[in-house]
Amino acid sequence: AQTVTQSQPEMSVQEAETVTLSCTYDTSESDYYLFWYKQPPSRQMILVIRQEAYKQQNATENRFSVNFQKAAKSFSLKISDSQLGDAAMYFCAYRSEGGSGTYKYIFGTGTRLKVLA
Amino acid sequence: ETGVTQTPRHLVMGMTNKKSLKCEQHLGHNAMYWYKQSAKKPLELMFVYSLEERVENNSVPSRFSPECPNSSHLFLHLHTLQPEDSALYLCASSQDSGGPQETQYFGPGTRLLVL
């Protein structure tokens, strides 16, 4: 079974600085998708960035980028020029096939990011 | 807003009560999900529906009963819950096409407290 591990329960970063959130996963599949979701306090969980495992190029979305190391099964999220609005819980997720053609999303325990002014 | 709504946003119930959580998606998706989010634990997938048919039930106790009358609506019926069932219940939907743009969209959740 696939597992997702986020070893940092909490991280802090100074405003305008860069922070990296760690995620490792375990799978025997060769083709899969990885995601980072953001859950601000009392707000909806939203997708930050996704990575297809078959792509070697790391995904980027504005200030957010990933470091995808397939052999090491590592998928870290880098946030550049951190802003106060980046403060949230960040969840790493792995997508695998479920039953009857559906897809299962397996989430890590999350990392709470604090942004210091 | 992501197009997935949940009601109520907060619910307090006694262990003998019966209540229902409602989820509605306006995205034209085929699949809907119920998750349980407890503090310091990964999101726990409870149920998956694809085209109104339940395709996954992750060993969830029978006091939780899902219902999917159509592809836009998903309910979670609650009966004789326990205090340890207190959590944030999240609904999500996805197209379930399996393509590279496939992703889940989440609702705001229902914060449930069982007394």
Side-chain angles (χ1 to χ4, degrees):
Chain A
Q2 295 87 3
T3 58
V4 175
T5 302
Q6 292 179 251
S7 59
Q8 305 153 316
E10 192 170 293
M11 295 278 287
S12 296
V13 62
Q14 205 71 34
E15 197 175 6
E17 297 293 309
T18 295
V19 65
T20 298
L21 309 184
S22 301
C23 174
T24 58
Y25 58 95
D26 189 26
T27 184
S28 58
E29 297 176 340
S30 60
D31 196 16
Y32 48 87
Y33 293 84
L34 296 163
F35 304 83
W36 278 99
Y37 280 89
K38 169 185 178 182
Q39 187 178 38
S42 302
R43 294 185 64 188
Q44 281 169 265
M45 184 132 56
I46 57 173
L47 178 68
V48 175
I49 198 166
R50 69 167 66 83
Q51 174 80 41
E52 294 94 326
Y54 63 85
K55 286 189 176 180
Q56 293 186 341
Q57 186 174 7
N58 289 325
T60 62
E61 286 286 343
N62 301 316
R63 298 182 295 106
F64 298 87
S65 62
V66 299
N67 183 3
F68 174 48
Q69 302 289 328
K70 191 173 184 179
K73 296 179 183 174
S74 170
F75 182 60
S76 60
L77 175 70
K78 186 172 83 171
I79 306 174
S80 304
D81 185 26
S82 297
Q83 301 174 0
L84 295 177
D86 295 333
M89 280 289 284
Y90 286 82
F91 293 95
C92 179
Y94 173 101
R95 192 191 87 184
S96 68
E97 291 195 21
S100 300
T102 63
Y103 295 86
K104 292 172 58 172
Y105 292 76
I106 300 161
F107 287 81
T109 50
T111 296
R112 183 172 301 283
L113 179 66
K114 295 183 177 180
V115 181
L116 309 173
Chain B
E1 295 299 324
T2 61
V4 181
T5 58
Q6 289 186 244
T7 54
R9 295 293 305 275
H10 301 272
L11 179 62
V12 179
M13 60 186 291
M15 288 190 283
T16 58
N17 291 158
K18 288 184 181 180
K19 296 287 184 184
S20 295
L21 310 185
K22 179 182 176 182
C23 175
E24 187 172 357
Q25 59 97 358
H26 312 275
L27 302 168
H29 287 166
N30 295 326
M32 297 186 78
Y33 309 75
W34 279 117
Y35 288 91
K36 177 183 179 182
Q37 186 178 22
S38 306
K40 299 183 180 179
K41 293 177 69 175
L43 266 70
E44 299 172 54
L45 179 63
M46 300 175 72
F47 301 103
V48 181
Y49 275 83
S50 177
L51 297 171
E52 302 139 50
E53 182 180 334
R54 189 191 308 180
V55 296
E56 188 129 357
N57 174 351
N58 275 2
S59 303
V60 179
S62 59
R63 56 185 184 269
F64 294 92
S65 175
E67 178 190 1
C68 188
N70 54 65
S71 59
S72 298
H73 293 86
L74 184 65
F75 295 89
L76 188 63
H77 303 300
L78 315 173
H79 182 222
T80 59
L81 295 192
Q82 304 298 311
E84 58 264 30
D85 297 323
S86 299
L88 181 68
Y89 288 84
L90 293 171
C91 174
S93 71
S94 68
Q95 187 61 45
D96 251 21
S97 63
Q101 298 306 311
E102 172 74 32
T103 189
Q104 287 195 337
Y105 293 83
F106 285 84
T110 295
R111 176 75 58 188
L112 174 66
L113 177 62
V114 182
L115 301 177

